[in-house]
Amino acid sequence: MSNLINVPKNGSLSNTNSNLNFPSWSSWIDEIFNRDVASVFTSNFNTGMTLPKVNIRETSDAYFVDMAVPGMKKSDFEIHLEGQLLSISSEIKDQNEFQEDNFTRREFGYSAFKRSFTLPETVSEEKIKAKYNDGILSVHLPKKEEARQKPPRTITIS
């Protein structure tokens, strides 16, 4: 009885008599290096915080920007409007020092983010409001009166 081993085109060895599919060394190494490692390096790992998720919605009379930023205080945020550019940012620096008889432990922390949005010209800039509640920063961007959607009406024919 002879054991024949099939060698597929990718060069890995597989035993046709086995129901187990073990990856070859080359495919295993390729899998490690071809994973989506780039996403790790494109995140803001050096700032200590990733960009918070944002939901933007529009109603007939306003836009709403809701940002998920749990664990923060409203004093941690800065919101600026320059021209049509709305910027929401935060920068937190933390330093703790603990001393005991024969050692000192110091811990430093830093986290920051900045999100910017170009506003449509229909936003009434003077009436923009923001509030922070239960980990959600909400920015209310009311539309100018002339930009608000009017309810449909019937026009009579003369």
Side-chain angles (χ1 to χ4, degrees):
M1 177 170 167
S2 68
N3 286 332
L4 295 178
I5 298 174
N6 292 333
V7 180
K9 291 181 182 177
N10 68 3
S12 67
L13 295 177
S14 63
N15 184 350
T16 57
N17 296 331
S18 173
N19 289 333
L20 299 174
N21 270 337
F22 292 107
S24 68
W25 278 104
S26 62
S27 65
W28 182 73
I29 291 172
D30 286 345
E31 182 183 331
I32 289 174
F33 287 106
N34 290 332
R35 284 186 186 158
D36 194 15
V37 179
S39 67
V40 173
F41 294 109
T42 57
S43 71
N44 292 335
F45 72 93
N46 60 341
T47 64
M49 181 183 290
T50 59
L51 287 178
K53 302 290 184 189
V54 175
N55 287 333
I56 299 174
R57 59 189 166 92
E58 179 182 10
T59 64
S60 61
D61 58 349
Y63 298 95
F64 295 90
V65 176
D66 296 323
M67 183 178 290
V69 280
M72 300 180 79
K73 302 177 294 233
K74 67 180 180 178
S75 60
D76 293 336
F77 302 102
E78 288 189 23
I79 302 175
H80 295 284
L81 181 65
E82 186 175 330
Q84 296 298 115
L85 189 67
L86 177 74
S87 298
I88 303 170
S89 62
S90 178
E91 181 178 17
I92 301 171
K93 296 177 183 176
D94 188 28
Q95 180 177 344
N96 295 318
E97 187 171 318
F98 179 76
Q99 286 188 307
E100 237 181 71
D101 297 335
N102 57 354
F103 72 91
T104 299
R105 181 181 72 204
R106 291 187 183 113
E107 295 178 357
F108 303 92
Y110 177 81
S111 60
F113 73 84
K114 182 174 184 176
R115 298 286 310 254
S116 296
F117 307 93
T118 302
L119 301 181
E121 292 181 14
T122 58
V123 171
S124 180
E125 297 171 7
E126 309 80 37
K127 297 180 182 178
I128 295 175
K129 295 179 185 175
K131 68 177 183 175
Y132 182 69
N133 190 23
D134 292 333
I136 304 293
L137 177 66
S138 297
V139 182
H140 177 245
L141 306 158
K143 292 181 180 178
K144 294 177 182 175
E145 189 62 40
E146 62 270 14
R148 292 184 180 185
Q149 188 176 5
K150 310 271 190 287
R153 63 184 180 108
T154 303
I155 301 172
T156 57
I157 303 171
S158 57

